[in-house]
Structure formats: structure tokens, C-alpha cells
Amino acid sequence: MVFPLAHIILWLSSWAWVARSSQIHEEAASSFFERHAISTNATSSTHTNNWAVLVCSSRYWFNYRHMANALGMYRTVKRLGIPDSNIILMLADDASCNSRNKVPGSVYANPGRHLDLYGDNIEVDYRGYEVTVENFIRVLTGRMDSSVPRSKRLLSNERSNVFVYMTGHGGNEFLKFQDNEEISAFDVADAFEQMYQKRRYNELFFMIDTCQANTMYSKLYSPNILAAGSSRQGENSYSHASDSDIGVAVIDEYTHFTLEFMEKINKTSPASMKELFDYVDSRIKNSRPGVRTDLFRRPLDTTRITDFFGGVAQVEIVPPLDSSMAPPGVSSSLAEPPQSLQSKPNSMPSAKAQTTSGNTTWLRLWLGGKTSRAWASITVVGVLAGWVASKK
Amino acid sequence: MALPPPPSLPSTLRDPKSLFFQQDGIRRAIIASYWALIILALPLWWYTTSIERLSLPSTRIQQLAHNHLELPIKICLETREGTLVEQVKSQLLAGKSQDPLRWKGLAPEVIGSADCGKYAESGAYIVKFKSGTPMSINDRELHIPSSSEYTSALANTLTSLIAPYSASSDPDNRVVQYSPHYRLAFSLLNEDAAAGDAVLGWNIQAAIRKYINPITQRLSALHNFTVESQVQFHAPLAFLPRQLDDVYGIEPADLTVFVNSAEWTLSSSSSNDPVLHFILFIPSSQRRPLRILLNDGKSRDSTAFLLPQWGGIVIHNPPTPTDAALPSQALHIVFSSFANQLSSLLGIPVLPNNIDQHSDAGVSDWQLDALTRRRTLENAEGSRDTLLSIVKLVNQIENMPVGPDVRDDVEGALSAFHTMSESASSSLAQAFAYSAQSFVLASRAFFSPGMLALLYFPAEHTYAVYSPLFASALIPLLVAALREYLAWKRERKEKLEREREKRE
């Protein structure tokens, strides 16, 4: 009786061992790339064009705030000079046309409904059920069918700075798409690596606003990536404010403060990424945002926000007759009067909506360690088989 | 139980042991057949769930990493002085070792001969010494005055003609990346035609024929061009120009945001080819003349500027009253600028200042060859890198499928690469054609839609998916087999004991 049981345990444990050892190889590879990334150092960006991929992965009316997050980012990158042809906007649902929307055709990110994010000039490239993990990875890697139109493609090259923003419901190392699938941190890391291998970016900025968002960038291993997330492992990201007429939360805390800071930035502003992160860090209360810089070559205080959110970095003046060059990379201290995104504080206490799938706590316990998970499954099978065999 | 069990079975009920399918042999056969089915189905299950990963010629691709293309450049000096030949040769070699990046992939070879004409057919460059004429080029010939001051500078001149791309010649990565097709989009933008004095039309067809076609036709071996044009009557700026005494100025910082991409529609999105934009901007009649300012606030003479890898912009301030169509003199100025911008975006090198050009061909053979060599080397490197990364990614990401189309493209790219290396010494044009083919095929293989890796699927997900499916079926089978085995063992033991007893 003991003999077959021992066999089962032997078989299962060898399986678990193989699964673990492949992970060790992955770690070795990623440490190699990290070393490679630090070897070069530069202070100013060498990009010539900017691209943005903005993803809202949640459906349904009660996820209004996720659509507002993505649309707020869309408005900002467009205002700062990335043309619509270089923005891939993926919205999993259409809150503006929802029958429960009291102001049809509009999406607002603040309780007073001051700024319509939907507006009259918006180009949603992937909408509704087109927003899938597969399509997202196809956009990043460029592995598209030849019939896909230009507006749905990320046609970046090795001189492009790419901004990838994601929002939705997530957990430890995953982000839920629609209601039936999820993208893992490994998928995102592999997609970025494929972009790096085909030189589809010069620098990449990955920003994610979801629960336990920082776990989503923990698996990245390709060079020249700057990553920022809204909350640490085990923390939830919360919404910021709700509108009593719309009836749901209208924006998430992390994105709200990011956008609030961005409203003070104009196309020629010299503000650095460090200022942005410091600002968001100091305002956000319910979670601890994170930044990952070990893959990024440049110091954050000299990396301009407009390197990722802006349009063109350099111009060259070409006199028609004389061929001497103008100095590139011009700057100015022009600053528009700051206008706040949320100009009126709302008297109503803002309801907190939790950005998580409800079962996180037990899931986290269960998913605590990789090895314990593997051993737990062996034990379950072993106990079952032993119990039946001993009953006789 | 309510009733006590009967002492023996009534005759109407049969003893379970007498049921035919409960006979030991048959029962075991039934259980064994289940197991046989499962074991036989295992290969099918394995086949249908595994990913198609055809093997790639990885070792041959790994060898490419050490295969660095060298394009030979033969230069024939039409002279009998052996010392001059040696001098030029050693100067070129010294220059090559000083700036290896500039000379990467180029292998100059200097020979001296009284009659260089015989090398002309093989694409050699010929340097002729002629007294009394200024330095000039004609086809692949360089005519140089035979005075000593020129001959001493010969190596430098040859360097700037043969290897014109140094780190300082393209500081902003102005040159667009290679593509077999480009679209050129010419736009005439009136800031506000409603304010009056707008330019409502331009003779675009004639202008393109006269200024753009000479370039595009000369480069037809390298790229295909599609040209589109448009006129817009309302194209507002996203910023307010600064008002000076009598002019309006664009600050240096505002130049980077001059293109108002949110409100200007600059090209059709009918294809995925890269687009080069050329914009003629006519300021509103209320804001003329519009000039580009220097950092100190003075206005520049130039009204043209270039966005690296994107395109060129010319600001034109028409005199009032304005003709509805752009007059030919203005068209000349504007399109000369566009032609200049196009050549620098495409990477056509600038000739050294002291060289005259004989023919009106525009782009000389020296320039075209230098550009072709640059593109050949770029493509070869791009193709090699892409092939290496395909192999690397396929090894690294275990779920990545490799279908027959990918394998064929990789094979095609590889064979084109080898053909290119072979033809590099005989024909530059052929080497370029194969390098482009190799690059296009390698990119197509990389971007093959079928290569999308399956999503991350760790072991615990495998348990989670398969256990509800198989555990319910497999555990009873497993237990049944276990019990049969134990029963069989017990029976055998009893049988052996009985036999022993019998013997005793």
C-alpha cells in the first residue's frame, strides 16, 4: 500500500522541482540584463518621437473611474503634444454611452463635472470586447495581421519613447481584462523584452494604477524601462472621489494626483519625473506608490516629463543657403498659469471604492510562496489517495 | 437498517459474485481497458496541446554574429608616382584607425595606374590630376588640380566623399530609418484663410516634378515613394507668437511644439509605410511677417526648420496683396528648401564645400554610393540583429510558437544575407538589394502574427485547470486499480499458503 503512494509523491515532487528550476533560470537572465542596462549612462533623451498606449481593462458602469483614468491620461498626452496617430487608446467599455450616464456623451473625472474628458475629438482605437490580453500584447510586439489599420498599430522605432499606462482591477502579479482573462507580470515583461529585441523603443515608461500595482512591474527585465505603480504588494488602490449625480466613483487616487500635477505642465515645461513622483507620493494617502528605476539609465531628476508625455524633443533650423546647424534641444521656463483639475473641493465625503477582486486575502495567503503552493498540492493529492486506499 | 439482514440470499436475488461482469477476470479486464485507453490517448493529448515549434537554423544564425560585412571601395589614382599612392593609402588607413566607427564596414583599397579606365567598369573611383581646373566630381571621377596643396589634402577629400557619415554629421539622428517605401505628404497650411490674403493653391504637380522627382528618381533603387498633397485653410497654432516691433516671432522653445498635431490632419492613414511630412505654413494675415527667433530674441534669416525623422517645415510670409496661387518664385524658394530637407532626412550626404559638380544630376554617384553603402550596412546589421533576437526569444520564451511561415522567412533572410556577403565584393547595387531583402524577410518573420507567445501558464495554473477535469475521473480509477492490485496480492498470498499447507 505504501509503495504506490511513494511513487505518486516522487512523481509530483519531481514535477514541482522542474517548475521551480525554470524560474531560477529566468532570474539569472534578468540579472544579466540589469547589469547590461547600467553599463551606459546618458543625461538627455535621444528620442525623436513619442508614442502612448493607454489601457482601461475593466467593463461595466461601476468601473466608470477606470475609464475616466485612461481618458484623463489620453487628454494629458494629447494636450502635451502626442498626436492621435501615435496614441493607442484601449477602453474596455463605453461609460459615456451607458444608459445610466446622466450626462450622455461625457465622462468626467471630478465631482463637479468641470472638464469633459470625452469631448468632441477623441479616437478610441480598441473598444469593448476588442480590449483583450492578446490584442494588447499584439499592439506592443507589433505581431499584427496585415489587415489591421495604421491607427491600431504601435509603429514605433528605436528612437521612440513609449508610454504605457494601464488601469483596472488587479492583484498580485496580474491585471484583470474584461471579466474572463488576466495578464500577468510575466506577460508584460516578455512583451517589453520582445519590443526591446526588435528595437521598438528608445525608452519606455510603464505606469499602472491597480491594486498591488507594484507587483506588475516586478518581473520586468529589459533595459531602459522606467516603471511606476500605485500601490505595494498587499495594498489596495482606492478611488479618489465620487459624483453624486453620476452615482459612482469618478477617478482613482493615484491617477488623480498624477493628472493634477500634469495640469501644471505644458509642452515646453522642464519639470522632471522626480517632481511628479514626489508630488504623487506626498499627496496619496491610502497606498504607497512605487517607482522602479534599476532598468533605467538616466537619473530621474534630469528626465523630463515631456520626454514621455510630450511631442517632439529637437528641431533643427535649416537655412536655405547656409548649411550650419542650429543647437538642438531648446528649452524655456515658460509656464502657464496652473489650473487645477479638481478646482472645487466636494463637500460630500468621497466614498472609497476598492479596486480589487474581493477574494484577495485568502488568495494572497494561498499564493504566499511558490514552494508552499507546490507542496500543498502534493499533500492534497497524497492525502486523498492515502485516505481512499486505507479505507479498503 | 430497519430489517435484520436475511441469513442467506433469497433465490430471486442473485449472488453478486455470480454476476458475469463481477468475475475477477472480466472486472480486471474492464479496469485495465480504461487504463489502456488513457495510456493510448496520452500521445494524442500531448500532440494536441503542445505548441508547434519548428526548429530554426540557430547555429547558422549564431555564426552571423561574427560575420561582419566589409564593402570594398576601389580607388584608382591616375598617376605614376608610387609615393603619392602610398601616402594616400597610409593616410586613409590612419584615418580609419582613428575613427573606426565612421569607417565601419568600409574597406578602401588604393591603387595607382596610368590608365584607370579599365577599372571603371568594376565600379572603381578614379582620381584624375588635371592642372588648371578647380576640384570637381563627375560620375565616379574626382578631378583634382595637380598642385601639391591639393594632393596633400587628397586623403581628407576622399574621406569626406567615401565615408561622409561621422558622429558629428548627424547629431540628432535626423536620418529616417530604412524602409522600402516612404510616403511624402506635402501640406499647404493657411493659419487662417478667413482673415484674408491667404494662399489658396499651389502648382504642386509642377513643383514636385521639378524639385522632388530628381531626388526620388535617383534614389529609386533604394526606396519607393508615394506622394500626396493637400491644402488646408484653417490650421491654427497651439501657441501665440511673440509680438516684436514689426514682426511676430516664434521662440526657440515653441519650435518644438510648432506642429499642432491635435488640430492639423497631416497625412492619410492609408498604409503602414513611414511618412515624411513637408509643411508650407502661411501665417494669418494679421500675424505677418512671422519669423523664427534666436535665443537672444533677434529674428533669424531662415524660415525653414526640420524635425528629425519627421519632416520639414517652411514658413512663408507672402506680400500683401497676396496672389491666390503661390507665385513661381516663392514656389522655387519653398521647394528648394523641401528638396534640401528631403535629402537630409533620407541621409544623402553633403558634398565638401570646395568641390564643384559637373553634371546637373543633383545627387552625384559619389553621394548615392555612400548612401547605398550606409543603407546596406544598416540593413545587414538590422537583419542580423533581428535573426539573433528571434532565436534568442524562441529559446527564452518556451511558449512561443514557430510556424512554417516563420521558418521559411528566417531561411529566406539567412540565404539573402549570405548572397549579400558574397556579392558585396562584386556589385554594390546587388549587395544592397539582398540586404534589403534579408532585412524585410527577417522583420516579417519577427512580426509574424502566429508567433504570439501563449500567455504565462505556471504549474499551479496547470493544476487548477486539470484537476477538476481529470481528478474526478482518475481518482476512482486509480483507487479501483489499487484495490484490485491489493486483492490480487492477497489472493496470491493465500494461494501460496494453501499450496504450502498442502505440501506439508
Side-chain angles (χ1 to χ4, degrees):
Chain A
M1 199 220 92
V2 179
F3 173 68
L5 194 69
H7 254 253
I8 293 164
I9 287 171
L10 206 67
W11 176 62
L12 283 169
S13 61
S14 68
W15 191 4
W17 181 78
V18 168
R20 246 194 74 199
S21 69
S22 72
Q23 201 203 337
I24 292 166
H25 286 302
E26 273 169 30
E27 278 163 14
S30 70
S31 68
F32 167 76
F33 277 105
E34 277 163 24
R35 258 183 290 135
H36 174 77
I38 298 161
S39 62
T40 48
N41 202 356
T43 48
S44 73
S45 180
T46 52
H47 70 287
T48 58
N49 56 79
N50 282 78
W51 289 80
V53 181
L54 313 172
V55 186
C56 155
S57 67
S58 315
R59 289 187 75 73
Y60 304 124
W61 175 243
F62 52 83
N63 291 322
Y64 185 96
R65 65 186 185 283
H66 293 155
M67 282 153 259
N69 286 347
L71 286 167
M73 279 294 166
Y74 173 78
R75 193 189 97 86
T76 301
V77 293
K78 205 167 156 182
R79 184 176 62 83
L80 291 176
I82 303 185
D84 242 337
S85 55
N86 288 18
I87 304 174
I88 317 286
L89 177 60
M90 305 177 99
L91 285 185
D93 202 353
D94 193 355
S96 69
C97 294
N98 195 300
S99 54
R100 279 190 262 182
N101 194 345
K102 216 180 165 190
V103 273
S106 302
V107 173
Y108 295 96
N110 45 4
R113 297 202 299 282
H114 300 290
L115 182 67
D116 181 12
L117 295 175
Y118 219 69
D120 51 4
N121 192 3
I122 180 167
E123 195 184 301
V124 184
D125 300 298
Y126 289 82
R127 65 166 74 235
Y129 289 115
E130 282 179 335
V131 182
T132 58
V133 176
E134 183 185 326
N135 276 343
F136 174 65
I137 290 178
R138 282 193 192 281
V139 165
L140 292 184
T141 55
R143 299 217 163 95
M144 297 266 190
D145 198 77
S146 55
S147 62
V148 174
R150 189 186 182 92
S151 61
K152 290 191 168 193
R153 286 169 185 257
L154 182 70
L155 295 166
S156 56
N157 60 26
E158 62 176 318
R159 297 260 74 87
S160 311
N161 276 10
V162 182
F163 169 50
V164 179
Y165 173 83
M166 302 183 88
T167 180
H169 291 284
N172 191 359
E173 295 176 3
F174 73 88
L175 174 73
K176 185 166 73 89
F177 266 66
Q178 309 278 356
D179 264 351
N180 47 13
E181 55 179 350
E182 58 193 40
I183 190 168
S184 78
F186 296 90
D187 296 323
V188 175
D190 280 346
F192 287 168
E193 171 65 8
Q194 292 175 54
M195 290 176 75
Y196 171 70
Q197 289 286 340
K198 192 64 183 99
R199 305 190 176 175
R200 281 168 67 74
Y201 68 82
N202 171 51
E203 287 172 333
L204 194 144
F205 177 39
F206 177 57
M207 182 185 254
I208 179 157
D209 186 353
T210 179
C211 287
Q212 316 194 43
N214 299 0
T215 58
M216 276 300 280
Y217 62 64
S218 58
K219 302 296 170 201
L220 302 183
Y221 55 93
S222 314
N224 298 340
I225 296 183
L226 177 65
S230 60
S231 52
R232 293 190 188 178
Q233 182 174 357
E235 289 179 349
N236 291 326
S237 292
Y238 291 96
S239 69
H240 177 69
S242 7
D243 184 281
S244 43
D245 284 340
I246 293 172
V248 286
V250 291
I251 195 158
D252 281 326
E253 204 179 16
Y254 181 75
T255 305
H256 168 77
F257 289 117
T258 305
L259 292 178
E260 192 175 82
F261 183 81
M262 291 303 222
E263 282 301 302
K264 298 167 197 155
I265 304 292
N266 65 25
K267 286 180 182 178
T268 51
S269 168
S272 72
M273 294 302 276
K274 189 173 185 311
E275 290 171 51
L276 167 67
F277 296 140
D278 288 348
Y279 181 87
V280 175
D281 259 347
S282 66
R283 301 296 157 110
I284 198 163
K285 291 189 201 74
N286 297 308
S287 64
R288 286 169 293 177
V291 181
R292 182 168 172 195
T293 54
D294 58 334
L295 301 171
F296 196 62
R297 286 179 296 147
R298 293 191 286 148
L300 286 188
D301 49 356
T302 58
T303 306
R304 288 193 189 181
I305 286 176
T306 49
D307 285 351
F308 292 105
F309 290 84
V312 183
Q314 299 146 340
V315 292
E316 255 179 76
I317 298 181
V318 261
L321 300 169
D322 189 4
S323 61
S324 66
M325 295 300 160
V330 277
S331 73
S332 99
S333 56
L334 252 179
E336 282 177 359
Q339 51 179 146
S340 176
L341 188 71
Q342 193 186 2
S343 43
K344 262 190 212 164
N346 192 6
S347 55
M348 193 189 80
S350 59
K352 299 271 183 287
Q354 207 174 310
T355 314
T356 180
S357 28
N359 46 13
T360 355
T361 21
W362 74 262
L363 202 69
R364 193 149 35 85
L365 269 174
W366 166 239
L367 300 177
K370 281 244 152 66
T371 40
S372 66
R373 267 177 279 170
W375 283 115
S377 53
I378 291 166
T379 328
V380 168
V381 175
V383 166
L384 259 172
W387 174 65
V388 176
S390 64
K391 266 203 105 176
K392 208 190 109 51
Chain B
M1 235 183 267
L3 288 170
S8 64
L9 287 164
S11 59
T12 49
L13 283 180
R14 280 192 286 175
D15 181 9
K17 280 184 182 159
S18 69
L19 291 172
F20 79 97
F21 55 84
Q22 288 292 13
Q23 284 164 16
D24 280 354
I26 291 175
R27 195 175 63 240
R28 282 171 193 169
I30 290 171
I31 292 169
S33 67
Y34 272 106
W35 278 104
L37 190 73
I38 285 168
I39 289 161
L40 285 178
L42 271 178
L44 185 74
W45 172 72
W46 184 256
Y47 175 75
T48 50
T49 54
S50 61
I51 304 160
E52 186 184 25
R53 276 163 73 86
L54 300 175
S55 69
L56 293 173
S58 349
T59 43
R60 275 158 65 208
I61 291 172
Q62 299 291 354
Q63 280 164 9
L64 287 187
H66 313 292
N67 179 350
H68 288 288
L69 183 66
E70 286 263 290
L71 296 171
I73 302 166
K74 202 178 261 180
I75 304 159
C76 179
L77 305 184
E78 206 164 72
T79 178
R80 288 204 174 79
E81 290 177 54
T83 49
L84 181 66
V85 176
E86 286 306 311
Q87 211 181 327
V88 170
K89 201 184 280 182
S90 65
Q91 276 176 2
L92 282 183
L93 280 180
K96 188 174 178 177
S97 59
Q98 258 176 22
D99 195 351
L101 215 62
R102 182 173 187 172
W103 285 93
K104 198 179 163 209
L106 304 178
E109 183 191 340
V110 186
I111 46 174
S113 164
D115 176 26
C116 282
K118 60 188 171 195
Y119 297 108
E121 271 180 26
S122 62
Y125 299 98
I126 299 169
V127 181
K128 286 183 174 168
F129 298 90
K130 280 184 182 172
S131 51
T133 56
M135 193 151 64
S136 63
I137 51 172
N138 184 20
D139 297 338
R140 288 197 170 79
E141 288 174 14
L142 171 66
H143 299 230
I144 194 162
S146 52
S147 65
S148 59
E149 53 172 314
Y150 282 104
T151 46
S152 62
L154 180 57
N156 281 338
T157 310
L158 283 175
T159 304
S160 53
L161 283 172
I162 290 165
Y165 303 103
S166 60
S168 59
S169 73
D170 186 10
D172 307 325
N173 301 297
R174 180 198 321 138
V175 179
V176 288
Q177 289 183 324
Y178 176 78
S179 160
H181 297 271
Y182 289 110
R183 253 176 333 129
L184 309 179
F186 293 91
S187 309
L188 165 58
L189 303 183
N190 287 285
E191 187 185 358
D192 187 7
D197 280 338
V199 176
L200 303 180
W202 52 351
N203 193 352
I204 180 77
Q205 300 223 340
I208 285 172
R209 262 200 305 278
K210 189 169 173 195
Y211 300 96
I212 304 299
N213 280 0
I215 299 176
T216 54
Q217 275 162 12
R218 197 81 170 95
L219 267 56
S220 58
L222 278 84
H223 314 284
N224 278 332
F225 295 93
T226 313
V227 180
E228 58 187 28
S229 74
Q230 63 167 343
V231 179
Q232 286 188 17
F233 303 107
H234 182 68
L237 291 174
F239 60 93
L240 214 61
R242 203 169 113 196
Q243 188 170 5
L244 303 171
D245 304 336
D246 51 348
V247 300
Y248 289 82
I250 307 169
E251 307 260 356
D254 286 334
L255 275 186
T256 58
V257 296
F258 185 86
V259 177
N260 186 1
S261 49
E263 284 169 272
W264 302 354
T265 311
L266 290 176
S267 67
S268 66
S269 53
S270 58
S271 76
N272 294 322
D273 304 329
V275 187
L276 297 178
H277 304 267
F278 296 94
I279 294 174
L280 169 58
F281 185 80
I282 312 288
S284 155
S285 63
Q286 288 152 6
R287 281 208 278 270
R288 286 181 200 163
L290 184 67
R291 301 229 181 267
I292 298 170
L293 297 184
L294 292 165
N295 279 327
D296 58 5
K298 286 188 191 133
S299 67
R300 268 174 199 277
D301 298 334
S302 169
T303 53
F305 61 100
L306 187 142
L307 302 179
Q309 296 193 342
W310 188 86
I313 294 157
V314 176
I315 300 167
H316 175 62
N317 295 295
T320 38
T322 309
D323 298 335
L326 203 64
S328 61
Q329 197 205 347
L331 207 62
H332 170 72
I333 296 170
V334 168
F335 270 83
S336 305
S337 292
F338 282 166
N340 263 345
Q341 290 167 339
L342 176 64
S343 6
S344 54
L345 286 169
L346 291 175
I348 300 171
V350 183
L351 285 178
N353 287 332
N354 52 352
I355 287 186
D356 280 357
Q357 202 179 346
H358 269 210
S359 54
D360 311 325
V363 184
S364 67
D365 281 349
W366 292 83
Q367 289 167 294
L368 186 63
D369 285 355
L371 179 62
T372 311
R373 278 193 293 269
R374 176 193 167 132
R375 291 303 193 188
T376 308
L377 292 170
E378 273 178 9
N379 285 343
E381 200 184 315
S383 167
R384 184 175 53 226
D385 286 354
T386 308
L387 289 174
L388 284 169
S389 28
I390 291 174
V391 169
K392 187 165 173 281
L393 287 173
V394 167
N395 289 337
Q396 186 183 326
I397 302 173
E398 283 160 10
N399 288 334
M400 186 179 268
V402 181
D405 53 335
V406 174
R407 189 195 50 195
D408 293 350
D409 280 347
V410 167
E411 291 279 1
L414 205 56
S415 74
F417 194 93
H418 287 302
T419 326
M420 174 198 70
S421 306
E422 284 157 20
S423 60
S425 54
S426 58
S427 162
L428 179 61
Q430 256 185 16
F432 167 76
Y434 283 116
S435 76
Q437 193 191 348
S438 174
F439 180 65
V440 168
L441 285 177
S443 298
R444 198 170 75 183
F446 188 95
F447 289 131
S448 163
M451 272 251 275
L452 194 77
L454 270 188
L455 297 176
Y456 172 69
F457 206 64
E460 51 267 30
H461 286 208
T462 319
Y463 295 138
V465 168
Y466 283 126
S467 42
L469 202 65
F470 288 137
S472 51
L474 278 187
I475 286 178
L477 269 177
L478 204 71
V479 173
L482 208 68
R483 286 173 71 172
E484 282 305 320
Y485 173 72
L486 292 176
W488 173 76
K489 240 176 113 180
R490 203 172 44 238
E491 264 175 35
R492 219 180 104 200
K493 208 170 143 194
E494 281 169 9
K495 206 172 153 192
L496 282 176
E497 269 172 20
R498 253 186 316 216
E499 273 174 16
R500 205 180 302 141
E501 275 168 22
K502 228 181 249 175
R503 240 178 277 141
E504 280 164 8

